[in-house]
Amino acid sequence: MSMEKINVGVIGLGCRGISLLEEVILLRKDVCVKAVCDVYEDRIQQAQKLVETVCGEVPFGTADYRNVINCPEVEVIVITTGWESHVEIAVCGMKAGKAVAMEVGGAYTVDDCWDLVNTWEETKTPFMFLENCCFGRRELMVLNMVQQGLLGDIVHCSGGYQHDLRDEISWGKENRHYRLRNYLNRNAENYPTHELGPIAKILKINQGNRLVSLTSTASRSAGLHEYIMTRKADDPKLVEAKFCQGDIVTTVITCAHGETITLTLDTTLPRYYSRGFTVRGTKGMYEEATDSVFLDRKEDRERDFRWRREACGNAAEYAKSWDHPIWKEFLEQGVVGTHGGMDWLEFEAFFECLRSKEPMPVDVYDAAAWMAVTALSEESIAKGSAPVAIPDFTRGKWMRV
Amino acid sequence: MSMEKINVGVIGLGCRGISLLEEVILLRKDVCVKAVCDVYEDRIQQAQKLVETVCGEVPFGTADYRNVINCPEVEVIVITTGWESHVEIAVCGMKAGKAVAMEVGGAYTVDDCWDLVNTWEETKTPFMFLENCCFGRRELMVLNMVQQGLLGDIVHCSGGYQHDLRDEISWGKENRHYRLRNYLNRNAENYPTHELGPIAKILKINQGNRLVSLTSTASRSAGLHEYIMTRKADDPKLVEAKFCQGDIVTTVITCAHGETITLTLDTTLPRYYSRGFTVRGTKGMYEEATDSVFLDRKEDRERDFRWRREACGNAAEYAKSWDHPIWKEFLEQGVVGTHGGMDWLEFEAFFECLRSKEPMPVDVYDAAAWMAVTALSEESIAKGSAPVAIPDFTRGKWMRV
C-alpha cells in the first residue's frame, strides 16, 4: 500500500454508511471513495452526490456488493450494511484481497464467526472490526488506568447497550431498518459489542485471556407493542405485530481467569442513553452511571453513603491525568467526526495499520468472539438460560501472548 | 394479645441485636424486653445493662435460645443471630406459639425454607421476616408510583447488595462474625433479600406472580485476600486463607409473568454503598445510581445523553408528590431508629399486625422464596451457572389473589 490515496468502496448506505461517509471518510485527505453500494437506488444517488461534492468525481454506484469487490481500483471495502450481510460481504472481500473494515452487529450463527476467522487465516487480508466504543474517551481512560495498575486486579466488568430505539425500530411507512425484522423474529443479546469490546480489551481477551461461557435471560416483550399502540403507527401492520425480542436481555459471561462480565441489552423501554460501562478491581472502580472513579483509600471510603452526592462526575478530574495518550493528542488537535470523535479515531487506527502493515487494534478474533455472543445468547435463551460454551476462535493462540 | 405491653425476648446480641434493642425496641413504649440470649456471656451482660437502664429491670439472660422460648412470659421472639440458626430458632419459636420476628439472611437448603412454611401453616403463629429495605423511603416511593401506574407495565428490575464489607469480614483477633466462616467456605448470592424484597413487592411475588427460576455466576475471589495482604491482619491465619466466595455474584431470576430480576452481590471489592435499586416499566424507570425518575415524555427523552448531568437526583423532587403515605406520616412525626428509619417502620408494622391480627406485610412465603435464592444460587454456581427452578412455596396459592 503506497502513501498515495487509498481507494475505498462503501457498501451499505443507510444512516450509518452515509454519516461515516460524510463526517469521517470524506474528511480524510488520504482516502478516495471510488465505489458506493446499496440495495436502494435513492441511497446510491445520495452517496454519489455527497462524494461528487467533496471529490469532484462521481463514484461507481451499484446494488450488488460483488461489483464493488470486483472493482480493480477499490483497495478497501467499508461494510455498513444491515447485520445479516456483514459476514458474507467481509468473507467475499477478504477472498478477493480487499482490506475490510466491517461495522458491528451480532452473529446469526457461530459458523459465521469461524468463516471470518478461517478466511482471514487463509488470506491474511487486513481486517478490522469497527467497534468504535473501543475508542471512547472514558473507555480508553479506564483502559489506561487499568494498564497502569490504578484499579488493581480486575475481576468483574459490566456494560450495556442501553438506548431507547423504539422510534427507530417502528418508524416509517416503508421501514428499511434491519432492526425491525430482527426484533419481530428473534430473541437475543442482539448488539453486544459496544460494551463488550472495551471490556474485552481491559480483560485482555484473546491476549492472555478468553471468553469461556455465557448464560442469557430475556424478559418478556412489552415496550414496543405499547409504544406502537399509544402512537399512530405509520405502518398499520405493526399494531398487530408480536415482537419476539425481550425488552431486557441479561447476559453473564465467564472468562478463563475467573473474571465475569455482565451485559444488558435495553433498547425498547423508556430510558436515557448509557453504555453502563463499569470496571471493578481490587484497588478501585470506574462506573459510568455516576461517571466516577472510586479508589481504595481513606478519603473515598469515608464518602461511602455520600458518594453519589459528593463524587458523581469526578471522572472529569481524573481525565486530566489519566486520559489515554491518543485522546490527549486528539483533544489537542481538535476532536472531529461522529459519535464524539470515536469514529474518527477508529478509522485513523484502521488506515494507519493498513499503511504500516501492523496488526489491527480490533482484529478478526475479537470480531468472532464478540459477535458470537449474539448467536450463543439466542441459544441460551432458547434453552431456558442454560450455560453455553464460547468457542476459542484463536485455537489456543490466546495463551501464547 | 392485649393492649398491655408485649413481652419480647431477643435472641442474638451481636451488632444487629444490640442496635435494634437500643435504637428501636427499647424506644417503644408498648414493648417490654423480658429475656436476652447469646452464646457469648459478655454480650448477654451488655444487653442486660441496656435493658436495665431503660426499663429498670434486669431481663433473664441465657446462652440457650430454648430457655427464651420456654420462658412463659415471653410472647414474641426477635431473632438476630448468625445466619445459620435463624430457621431452627424460628421453627422452634412458632411450635411453642411464640410470635416470631426473624432477621434476614439466605437459606442454606431449600428444605429449611419448606420447614418455615410448613411450621407456619401448621401453627399459624405470627411470623414476620425482618426485611427492613421493604420499608426504605425510595423503595416505598417507587412501589407507590408503580401501584398508581406511573411507570407502566413493569418488565425488569435490578438491585444489589453492594457494600464493601472487607473490614467487617476480616476484622479482629477473635472474629465472631458469621460472615467470615461463610466467605471462607461458600460461594453463593449469600445476601439477596435487601434488594429482592422491595423488588418482589413491586412485582407482586406470591400475590399474583412468583419467582420461577434463576442462574447464578460468581467471579473469582480476589478482594479479601488482597485486602488482608495489604494490611496487618489481626488474625495471622487469615493471611493463608483461601476464600471460596467470589467477589461479584450475578443472579438472574425469571418470574411467572415474564419479568426478569438481576441481583448483584458485591461485598469484597472497594466501592461505595448502594442497593442499585432499579425498576423498568413501559412508561418510565427509577434508578438508584442516579437517584432519578425517567418518564416517557418529551422533556425527559430530549435529555437522553444529558440525563446524568441534568437529572441526577431528581427523585427528591418526585418524593414531594410520590412519597408513600407511611413515609409522609413518618416524616411529619419525625424519623427515628436505625438505618434511616426503615427499622422503626418495620417493627411498627410487626407490632401493629400482631395486635390487630392482620397478615404480616413480609410473611413466611416471602421469607421462603427470597431466602431460597441463596441455596439455589449456590446450586447454580456449583453446576456452572445452570438454571435451577425456584419452588412454589405457596403451593399455588399465589394465583388466588
Side-chain angles (χ1 to χ4, degrees):
Chain A
M1 200 86 49
S2 69
M3 280 306 286
E4 286 170 22
K5 286 201 177 192
I6 297 173
N7 291 327
V8 171
V10 179
I11 301 169
L13 303 165
C15 288
R16 182 63 177 149
I18 291 292
S19 81
L20 272 183
L21 198 55
E22 194 168 11
E23 296 180 67
V24 178
I25 297 169
L26 287 174
L27 299 184
R28 296 188 64 93
K29 289 178 184 140
D30 59 346
V31 164
C32 186
V33 177
K34 289 290 181 188
V36 293
C37 169
D38 200 280
V39 291
Y40 296 105
E41 179 60 29
D42 58 310
R43 290 178 173 178
I44 297 174
Q45 287 174 15
Q46 185 192 1
Q48 284 179 316
K49 261 182 218 156
L50 262 176
V51 176
E52 189 188 11
T53 309
V54 177
C55 310
E57 199 181 314
V58 179
F60 169 59
T62 174
D64 185 343
Y65 73 84
R66 288 172 199 83
N67 296 333
V68 176
I69 289 169
N70 292 332
C71 201
E73 55 185 352
V74 167
E75 298 162 285
V76 169
I77 57 168
V78 176
I79 304 170
T80 45
T81 56
W83 296 335
E84 298 91 340
S85 53
H86 285 179
V87 172
E88 176 188 328
I89 300 171
V91 165
C92 182
M94 283 192 275
K95 283 184 176 163
K98 310 287 164 135
V100 172
M102 184 179 89
E103 256 301 342
V104 296
Y108 290 80
T109 74
V110 173
D111 276 357
D112 268 6
C113 301
W114 280 116
D115 275 356
L116 276 180
V117 166
N118 293 337
T119 306
W120 184 82
E121 289 186 347
E122 280 157 34
T123 65
K124 294 286 160 78
T125 317
F127 172 95
M128 180 160 146
F129 189 51
L130 295 176
E131 184 33 75
N132 57 357
C133 298
C134 288
F135 297 88
R137 186 175 174 191
R138 283 291 187 269
E139 283 88 343
L140 281 174
M141 178 186 89
V142 176
L143 177 66
N144 189 32
M145 286 175 153
V146 169
Q147 287 173 340
Q148 309 292 321
L150 196 72
L151 303 185
D153 183 13
I154 307 302
V155 297
H156 178 76
C157 296
S158 56
Y161 186 57
Q162 305 179 146
H163 191 179
D164 177 1
L165 295 171
R166 292 173 301 165
D167 187 55
E168 176 182 302
I169 295 165
S170 65
W171 180 84
K173 273 202 181 96
E174 184 211 0
N175 189 319
R176 298 167 168 186
H177 204 291
Y178 49 85
R179 277 206 169 84
L180 177 58
R181 53 185 182 260
N182 278 278
Y183 279 70
L184 281 168
N185 298 295
R186 298 170 79 207
N187 194 6
E189 168 41 278
N190 65 32
Y191 207 58
T193 69
H194 278 346
E195 64 271 27
L196 180 55
I199 289 170
K201 292 297 173 187
I202 283 168
L203 293 176
K204 299 181 181 165
I205 300 305
N206 297 335
Q207 303 278 330
N209 202 356
R210 80 172 192 90
L211 307 179
V212 170
S213 71
L214 66 77
T215 62
S216 207
T217 307
S219 78
R220 67 186 151 89
S221 175
L224 277 169
H225 180 69
E226 186 166 321
Y227 184 82
I228 290 162
M229 294 302 283
T230 54
R231 278 157 185 81
K232 277 187 186 167
D234 294 308
D235 181 351
K237 281 199 304 289
L238 284 185
V239 174
E240 305 294 322
K242 298 233 185 309
F243 290 89
C244 291
Q245 179 63 53
D247 287 326
I248 306 276
V249 177
T250 307
T251 301
V252 186
I253 299 176
T254 64
C255 303
H257 291 291
E259 302 86 352
T260 47
I261 304 169
T262 305
L263 307 178
T264 305
L265 179 78
D266 172 2
T267 54
T268 50
L269 293 174
R271 66 158 301 126
Y272 66 93
Y273 181 88
S274 172
R275 295 198 291 277
F277 178 53
T278 303
V279 176
R280 305 297 307 282
T282 52
K283 293 191 193 309
M285 71 184 277
Y286 170 79
E287 178 185 62
E288 185 185 315
T290 50
D291 195 30
S292 72
V293 174
F294 182 106
L295 296 182
D296 191 16
R297 52 181 189 173
K298 198 159 170 280
E299 55 264 50
D300 284 8
R301 283 195 299 267
E302 282 173 354
R303 286 175 160 181
D304 202 4
F305 296 89
R306 311 189 309 268
W307 186 257
R308 197 188 49 243
R309 266 195 326 279
E310 295 183 9
C312 191
N314 80 2
E317 283 301 306
Y318 282 88
K320 292 174 189 165
S321 316
W322 294 96
D323 258 336
H324 194 280
I326 77 168
W327 262 96
K328 279 187 183 152
E329 197 188 322
F330 196 32
L331 287 162
E332 273 164 29
Q333 294 176 350
V335 172
V336 288
T338 34
H339 289 114
M342 301 191 300
D343 296 340
W344 184 266
L345 289 178
E346 89 178 336
F347 273 90
E348 183 75 11
F350 173 72
F351 285 113
E352 236 178 75
C353 292
L354 204 58
R355 288 188 190 278
S356 65
K357 299 187 173 28
E358 292 290 313
M360 291 289 168
V362 187
D363 67 12
V364 76
Y365 300 106
D366 296 328
W370 307 351
M371 291 173 74
V373 167
T374 296
L376 295 168
S377 133
E378 205 167 358
E379 181 182 339
S380 177
I381 290 169
K383 290 177 173 172
S385 307
V388 296
I390 303 174
D392 172 10
F393 293 103
T394 75
R395 297 182 176 94
K397 287 197 284 286
W398 64 274
M399 293 184 286
R400 281 195 225 151
V401 182
Chain B
M1 200 87 47
S2 71
M3 280 307 285
E4 287 170 24
K5 286 202 178 191
I6 297 173
N7 291 327
V8 170
V10 179
I11 301 169
L13 304 166
C15 288
R16 183 61 176 152
I18 291 290
S19 81
L20 273 183
L21 198 54
E22 195 167 10
E23 297 179 67
V24 178
I25 298 169
L26 286 175
L27 299 184
R28 294 188 66 92
K29 288 177 186 144
D30 59 346
V31 164
C32 187
V33 176
K34 288 292 183 186
V36 293
C37 169
D38 200 281
V39 291
Y40 297 104
E41 180 58 30
D42 59 309
R43 290 178 173 176
I44 298 173
Q45 288 174 13
Q46 186 194 0
Q48 284 179 316
K49 260 181 218 157
L50 263 175
V51 177
E52 189 188 10
T53 309
V54 178
C55 309
E57 198 182 316
V58 179
F60 170 58
T62 175
D64 185 343
Y65 73 83
R66 287 172 199 83
N67 296 333
V68 176
I69 290 169
N70 291 333
C71 201
E73 55 186 353
V74 167
E75 296 163 283
V76 168
I77 58 168
V78 176
I79 304 170
T80 46
T81 56
W83 296 334
E84 297 91 341
S85 54
H86 285 180
V87 172
E88 176 188 328
I89 299 170
V91 166
C92 181
M94 282 191 276
K95 283 185 176 164
K98 309 288 163 135
V100 172
M102 186 181 86
E103 258 300 342
V104 296
Y108 290 80
T109 74
V110 172
D111 276 357
D112 269 4
C113 302
W114 280 116
D115 274 356
L116 276 180
V117 166
N118 292 337
T119 306
W120 183 82
E121 290 186 347
E122 279 158 35
T123 66
K124 293 287 161 77
T125 317
F127 172 95
M128 180 161 146
F129 190 49
L130 294 176
E131 184 33 76
N132 58 357
C133 298
C134 288
F135 298 87
R137 186 174 173 191
R138 283 291 186 270
E139 283 87 345
L140 281 174
M141 178 186 89
V142 175
L143 177 67
N144 189 33
M145 286 175 153
V146 168
Q147 287 172 341
Q148 308 293 322
L150 197 72
L151 304 184
D153 182 12
I154 308 301
V155 296
H156 178 75
C157 296
S158 56
Y161 186 59
Q162 306 180 146
H163 190 180
D164 178 0
L165 295 172
R166 293 173 300 165
D167 187 53
E168 176 183 302
I169 294 165
S170 65
W171 179 85
K173 274 203 179 96
E174 185 213 359
N175 190 319
R176 297 167 170 185
H177 203 291
Y178 49 86
R179 277 204 170 86
L180 178 59
R181 55 184 180 260
N182 278 277
Y183 279 70
L184 280 168
N185 298 295
R186 299 170 79 205
N187 195 7
E189 168 42 276
N190 64 32
Y191 208 58
T193 68
H194 278 347
E195 65 271 28
L196 180 55
I199 290 170
K201 292 296 171 186
I202 283 169
L203 293 176
K204 299 182 183 165
I205 300 303
N206 297 335
Q207 303 278 328
N209 201 355
R210 81 171 191 90
L211 307 179
V212 170
S213 71
L214 65 79
T215 64
S216 206
T217 307
S219 78
R220 66 185 153 88
S221 173
L224 276 169
H225 180 69
E226 185 167 321
Y227 184 81
I228 289 162
M229 294 302 282
T230 54
R231 279 159 185 80
K232 277 188 186 167
D234 295 308
D235 181 351
K237 283 199 302 288
L238 284 184
V239 174
E240 305 293 324
K242 300 234 185 308
F243 290 88
C244 291
Q245 179 63 53
D247 287 327
I248 306 278
V249 177
T250 308
T251 302
V252 187
I253 300 175
T254 64
C255 302
H257 290 290
E259 302 87 352
T260 47
I261 304 169
T262 304
L263 307 179
T264 305
L265 178 78
D266 172 1
T267 53
T268 51
L269 293 173
R271 67 159 298 128
Y272 67 92
Y273 181 89
S274 172
R275 294 198 292 277
F277 178 55
T278 303
V279 176
R280 305 297 308 281
T282 53
K283 294 192 192 307
M285 70 184 276
Y286 170 79
E287 178 184 62
E288 185 185 315
T290 50
D291 195 32
S292 71
V293 174
F294 182 106
L295 296 183
D296 192 16
R297 51 181 190 173
K298 198 158 170 277
E299 56 264 49
D300 285 8
R301 284 195 299 268
E302 281 173 353
R303 286 175 160 181
D304 201 4
F305 296 89
R306 312 188 309 268
W307 187 257
R308 199 188 46 244
R309 263 191 332 276
E310 295 183 8
C312 191
N314 80 2
E317 282 303 305
Y318 282 87
K320 291 173 191 168
S321 315
W322 294 96
D323 258 335
H324 194 280
I326 77 165
W327 261 96
K328 279 187 183 153
E329 196 189 323
F330 196 30
L331 287 162
E332 274 165 28
Q333 294 177 348
V335 172
V336 287
T338 34
H339 289 114
M342 300 191 302
D343 296 339
W344 184 265
L345 289 177
E346 93 181 331
F347 274 88
E348 183 75 11
F350 173 71
F351 286 112
E352 237 178 74
C353 292
L354 203 58
R355 288 188 189 278
S356 65
K357 299 188 170 32
E358 291 291 311
M360 291 289 166
V362 187
D363 67 12
V364 76
Y365 301 106
D366 296 328
W370 307 350
M371 290 173 74
V373 167
T374 295
L376 295 167
S377 135
E378 205 166 358
E379 180 181 341
S380 177
I381 290 170
K383 290 177 173 173
S385 306
V388 294
I390 303 174
D392 172 10
F393 292 102
T394 75
R395 296 183 176 92
K397 286 197 286 285
W398 64 274
M399 294 183 286
R400 280 195 226 151
V401 184

